[in-house]
Amino acid sequence: MKIDNTHDFAAAVPICEAAVRASPDQPRLEFLLGLAYGGTKNYMAAQRYLTKAADAGYAPAQGKLGVYFATGRGVVKDMPRAFELFSKAAAAGEPGAISNLGAMYSNGNFVKKDEARALELYQKAIEAGNPFALAQTGLMYFYGKGTPRDYGMAAQYFQQAADLNDGFSLKYLAVMQERGLLGPPDAAKAAELRRRAVQVDPGSQDPNVPKELNASGPRRASAVHHVRRIYYYRFVGCRWPWC
């Protein structure tokens, strides 16, 4: 049974409930039922089943429950608890939890802000198969967080995310073309990138890039590195700030 990409969570709930009744105390089934309830915005029910699966040591449930504590869905918002759950799931290799742990270090949520550690975790999450971390890594290079600013490297990560139809990354690439951060400004290419962002990801976040970041402002480092290409199916889950 797989419901991660479904758009009909209401239909998935009774199917998952039947599966849990037929095979009780199976963490994976409890996790899937929690996902189904979460998809219907019944967060109280969702967190009950996610908690059961997480307490049994099921890493995907620990990561998802961490999102609930980070956002206050069905529980009282509790960043220390979110950090604990993300850390446990990340130690088990759960890609989303690794990325979300990076977000906590990047934003200084509960832990001391550590951008170098955040970048390290984002890159680890990419290797583990988390597409959300591609755009996050692009941001780190774009703004010089945890690493010297490097527009060439940022563009490579944004492009990989854009190839997965991430509108946020498409819009950042458009900004880079408009401001001449990758060579001469190219308004036509920027407009095409923005059109594609609207088509493939209409609800994507609009970048808020400081005006001083332009061709005459802080320059990029030489992009001499090669970013290994990572392939994924598609972006799933929430976009900001946790997934």
Side-chain angles (χ1 to χ4, degrees):
M1 180 170 59
K2 183 176 177 63
I3 66 168
D4 303 58
N5 296 329
T6 185
H7 294 286
D8 193 349
F9 290 103
V13 167
I15 296 172
C16 292
E17 287 177 333
V20 169
R21 286 195 300 270
S23 301
D25 300 320
Q26 294 293 319
R28 177 177 174 274
L29 297 179
E30 292 168 339
F31 165 68
L32 291 175
L33 180 54
L35 287 184
Y37 273 126
T40 65
K41 302 190 185 303
N42 187 346
Y43 298 127
M44 293 291 288
Q47 66 87 14
R48 287 200 302 272
Y49 285 99
L50 291 175
T51 297
K52 290 183 67 176
D55 288 347
Y58 191 59
Q62 292 171 337
K64 194 66 175 180
L65 188 61
V67 173
Y68 276 49
F69 278 102
T71 58
R73 295 181 189 172
V75 295
V76 176
K77 190 172 182 179
D78 187 339
M79 283 299 186
R81 179 65 172 145
F83 181 82
E84 176 188 2
L85 287 162
F86 288 149
S87 296
K88 287 181 178 179
E94 180 62 23
I98 298 171
S99 182
N100 287 332
L101 196 59
M104 295 195 78
Y105 278 103
S106 179
N107 297 319
N109 294 131
F110 173 63
V111 292
K112 182 179 179 181
K113 190 171 185 177
D114 187 338
E115 292 171 338
R117 175 63 173 153
L119 179 60
E120 176 187 338
L121 286 164
Y122 287 143
Q123 292 177 330
K124 183 178 179 181
I126 290 171
E127 293 296 324
N130 180 256
F132 173 81
L134 287 168
Q136 295 302 102
T137 302
L139 288 174
M140 301 297 275
Y141 278 102
F142 187 89
Y143 289 106
K145 294 183 176 182
T147 183
R149 177 183 282 114
D150 189 327
Y151 294 137
M153 287 288 285
Q156 291 184 62
Y157 283 105
F158 285 141
Q159 186 61 59
Q160 287 204 56
D163 289 344
L164 296 168
N165 293 332
D166 180 43
F168 177 76
S169 295
L170 283 161
K171 291 174 181 178
Y172 255 96
L173 288 170
V175 169
M176 298 176 87
Q177 292 294 339
E178 290 163 349
R179 300 193 184 183
L181 300 178
L182 298 172
D186 191 332
K189 190 169 185 177
E192 178 55 34
L193 288 163
R194 290 189 181 278
R195 279 194 295 270
R196 186 179 165 211
V198 171
Q199 291 172 350
V200 302
D201 194 3
S204 58
Q205 181 176 344
D206 290 320
N208 183 18
V209 182
K211 293 181 179 180
E212 61 268 20
L213 291 184
N214 52 50
S216 61
R219 298 302 299 168
R220 62 186 183 277
S222 297
V224 297
H225 306 289
H226 174 67
V227 177
R228 187 167 71 85
R229 191 151 194 81
I230 310 294
Y231 294 94
Y232 305 95
Y233 45 97
R234 64 186 293 273
F235 279 93
V236 295
C238 65
R239 186 64 185 87
W240 299 104
W242 316 101
C243 73

